[in-house]
Amino acid sequence: MRTPMSATTTTSTTTSTSTTDVLVVGAGPVGLALAIGLARAGVGCRIIEREPEFRDRGERAKGINARSLEVFEDLGVVERMLALGRTDLRVRTYRGARVIGEAAASDATRPTPDRPYTDALMLAQHHTEAVLRERLAEFGVKVELDCELVEFTQHEEAVHATVRHGGEIRTLRARYLVGCDGGRSTVRKQAGFTFLGESWDEERFLLASMRVEGLDPDFLHVWTDERLGAGAFILVPMRADDIWAAHAWIDPDEQGRTPAPDLATFERLFAERAGLPGVRLHEPSWSTVWRPTVRMVDRYRAGRVFVAGDSAHCQSAAGGQGLNTGVQDAANLGWKLAAVLRGAPDALLDSYQAERLPVAAGVLAATSAQHRALFTEGGGQALARQFSHRTASGADFTGLSVGYRGGPIGLDLDDSTGIRAGDRAPDAPVTTASGTPTRLFDLLRGPHATLLAFDADLRLPERPGLRQARLRDPSGHAGRAYGLSGPAVVLVRPDGYVALTGSEASVAARPEALAEVMAGIGL
């Protein structure tokens, strides 16, 4: 059976054909995170990027939330990222040249044993990508630059993709194709996904990277006014490059034209809206005009083709959720592709849409509400609340509360644990049955599922893809995080979410239930 996915034709001659398990289109943070997850699971993958060079400037997505930091710890890159960025920025709010408020992270956002990351990491996207590329190369996979997807067709056993690489046309045969190629996704368009929503054309922002003199780099500086809220002017220090990210709302002229995002425009806007003496802006190293777009797909899968990140959903930058939602898409999809390629039921891949589509819808609603709060009177306070994880909409922008309760994967055998199937598995200090101290995140790290037996003696026969750990909880932190009332068993998926809970007695009485859940996730 052959299902055409594009009417596009090419005039060049195909010169070579190669085969892989998964073809990832787009080498931004989402595509790179997906490729790392696949490669470390032993899945053959190729990752292509149509740009001829890697980005080395521009801030773009720069806030990495707590849940994404947990994903990056699992992928083995979080320490490198933390060394480049910072999590301790405070917010200073101005009305003109007058300081009207300062805010720092509250005690409620400080790390705890179950939540080792709470504050967002400020790190420019090109640094995030560089760290991820370095990690991917450790698995022997490199991004193929100047390699553009032209068209593809689906077949019963594979996707045939035509790509243009350095002027040469090639065919790549892949078991699965994943579009991580952004808001203008070629994969999404050719696969026929509906992309519903709107662009807010009446709202335009100037964005730039530049050196700034005369400001305290320990603060994110926000100038507000009655009409534009926090959109009047924002300057964010970016430690790794010793530059600042500048944001400003701009009104088109009577002909609908937007002024160029150059130094003269930024100097004029700063003088009009900030007027703070002693501050000097320098020529931007990167700049652009940005318009908010709020759209999402109607589905995440079409046969052997999937979309993730901005290819699947675009939202306001308010709340900094674009990169984060996409990286968590990748974490959800990667282990499922690996499991199905090892023989798990194909239905496991349908759970990607079932779990992630509602998350995207919630993020779009929350970021739109935050956008309205930021760019109205009181926007500076709204931004400060965002940094303390208390938004106008009540949304949790840390990502730590996102879960999949009631989804297609998981089973709770009883009420012996407070944690439920579909919840994020918290961290905690524990000891092994032999008394060796460890962390739960150390046990969960990797492409495997993990069977945690808390004060329980359950042990299954060894099997590929499963780590078993009999644990003790001398500090009580695991008991509080997991709501343990006695000996219990918790099965954790490779992406760090719970697949099964139950008391030791319930698991022993229903071995077929545990076996069914494990089979469903490819064990």
Side-chain angles (χ1 to χ4, degrees):
M1 180 184 73
R2 182 179 184 274
T3 304
M5 300 299 292
S6 169
T8 304
T9 60
T10 61
T11 57
S12 301
T13 302
T14 300
T15 59
S16 61
T17 302
S18 56
T19 302
T20 190
D21 289 326
V22 181
L23 174 61
V24 180
V25 181
V30 178
L32 289 165
L34 176 62
I36 293 170
L38 293 169
R40 73 169 182 174
V43 173
C45 68
R46 301 271 295 272
I47 178 168
I48 62 174
E49 169 59 51
R50 70 178 181 180
E51 295 297 327
E53 298 179 348
F54 295 125
R55 289 181 284 264
D56 62 358
R57 64 187 65 188
E59 304 316 311
R60 295 179 176 86
K62 55 184 171 293
I64 302 174
N65 71 14
R67 180 56 191 156
S68 293
L69 289 173
E70 292 183 350
V71 172
F72 288 144
E73 178 178 342
D74 177 59
L75 296 179
V77 296
V78 73
E79 293 299 332
R80 305 180 213 184
M81 292 183 177
L82 291 171
L84 289 169
R86 57 185 304 176
T87 59
D88 59 349
L89 277 183
R90 293 170 286 171
V91 180
R92 179 174 288 168
T93 309
Y94 303 79
R95 182 62 57 88
R98 180 170 59 91
V99 176
I100 60 174
E102 290 187 0
S106 67
D107 288 340
T109 69
R110 298 189 186 282
T112 57
D114 62 317
R115 296 158 57 109
Y117 311 102
T118 53
D119 294 318
L121 174 69
M122 301 303 291
L123 183 65
Q125 181 174 324
H126 61 278
H127 288 296
T128 300
E129 292 174 355
V131 170
L132 292 172
R133 286 196 304 270
E134 179 184 354
R135 179 60 170 157
L136 182 60
E138 293 171 7
F139 294 102
V141 180
K142 294 185 177 181
V143 175
E144 300 173 47
L145 288 170
D146 194 21
C147 193
E148 180 181 9
L149 177 69
V150 177
E151 62 178 356
F152 61 85
T153 56
Q154 285 208 59
H155 300 253
E156 186 173 355
E157 297 296 329
V159 177
H160 292 182
T162 302
V163 301
R164 181 182 293 109
H165 182 66
E168 179 182 328
I169 296 298
R170 300 178 180 178
T171 298
L172 302 180
R173 182 181 184 275
R175 296 282 299 281
Y176 297 98
L177 171 68
V178 185
C180 304
D181 49 341
R184 299 177 180 178
S185 171
T186 298
V187 173
R188 183 190 67 239
K189 293 174 182 176
Q190 293 194 11
F193 291 92
T194 301
F195 202 42
L196 298 173
E198 59 186 2
S199 296
W200 297 346
D201 292 331
E202 72 281 4
E203 299 187 18
R204 303 182 193 183
F205 296 81
L206 302 185
L207 312 180
S209 301
M210 61 179 65
R211 288 181 52 241
V212 176
E213 296 179 71
L215 284 179
D216 188 339
D218 289 330
F219 286 87
L220 184 157
H221 301 264
V222 183
W223 284 267
T224 70
D225 66 24
E226 294 180 359
R227 187 174 70 89
L228 304 178
F233 213 98
I234 300 176
L235 286 169
V236 186
M238 307 301 295
R239 183 176 76 181
D241 295 308
D242 193 26
I243 61 174
W244 294 68
H247 305 173
W249 182 305
I250 190 69
D251 292 313
D253 63 19
E254 294 179 355
Q255 286 74 43
R257 296 172 300 191
T258 302
D262 55 19
L263 178 59
T265 300
F266 278 101
E267 287 180 328
R268 174 176 62 81
L269 294 176
F270 189 80
E272 293 172 354
R273 301 175 183 181
L276 190 65
V279 176
R280 181 185 177 193
L281 310 182
H282 289 261
E283 190 70 37
S285 58
W286 169 87
S287 64
T288 191
V289 178
W290 173 74
R291 302 179 186 184
T293 296
V294 180
R295 297 180 184 275
M296 63 179 290
V297 293
D298 58 334
R299 54 200 170 115
Y300 273 42
R301 179 186 188 185
R304 294 182 173 274
V305 178
F306 301 82
V307 288
D310 287 355
S311 302
H313 43 76
C314 293
Q315 55 277 316
S316 167
Q321 295 301 293
L323 176 152
N324 295 292
T325 307
V327 164
Q328 291 155 44
D329 286 344
N332 186 287
L333 177 60
W335 73 270
K336 295 174 180 178
L337 285 168
V340 171
L341 286 164
R342 291 194 305 265
D346 181 78
L348 181 59
L349 294 176
D350 291 330
S351 71
Y352 171 56
Q353 173 178 307
E355 292 183 338
R356 295 304 298 172
L357 193 101
V359 172
V363 168
L364 263 64
T367 53
S368 295
Q370 182 68 355
H371 184 100
R372 290 188 289 271
L374 286 175
F375 303 117
T376 57
E377 176 68 11
Q381 288 76 14
L383 185 61
R385 286 195 301 269
Q386 178 179 316
F387 267 66
S388 295
H389 316 304
R390 294 178 292 107
T391 69
S393 65
D396 171 22
F397 285 160
T398 69
L400 296 174
S401 62
V402 170
Y404 311 122
R405 285 193 186 189
I409 301 176
L411 178 66
D412 298 303
L413 296 178
D414 53 38
D415 295 324
S416 63
T417 65
I419 201 166
R420 302 280 82 187
D423 289 353
R424 161 190 167 270
D427 194 13
V430 291
T431 64
T432 65
S434 62
T436 303
T438 188
R439 282 174 66 209
L440 290 179
F441 274 13
D442 289 338
L443 298 172
L444 301 180
R445 186 181 304 115
H448 55 267
T450 310
L451 190 70
L452 304 174
F454 294 103
D455 293 314
D457 293 325
L458 177 71
R459 180 176 290 278
L460 303 177
E462 294 295 326
R463 64 182 67 197
L466 178 67
R467 172 179 288 176
Q468 301 184 59
R470 291 186 295 165
L471 304 171
R472 302 293 179 260
D473 181 29
S475 67
H477 288 302
R480 287 187 289 274
Y482 284 73
L484 303 178
S485 59
V489 175
V490 177
L491 177 63
V492 182
R493 305 168 4 173
D495 61 349
Y497 288 87
V498 174
L500 177 139
T501 70
S503 66
E504 181 180 24
S506 293
V507 174
R510 297 181 59 188
E512 76 289 347
L514 175 60
E516 183 177 351
V517 172
M518 289 197 298
I521 63 173
L523 298 174

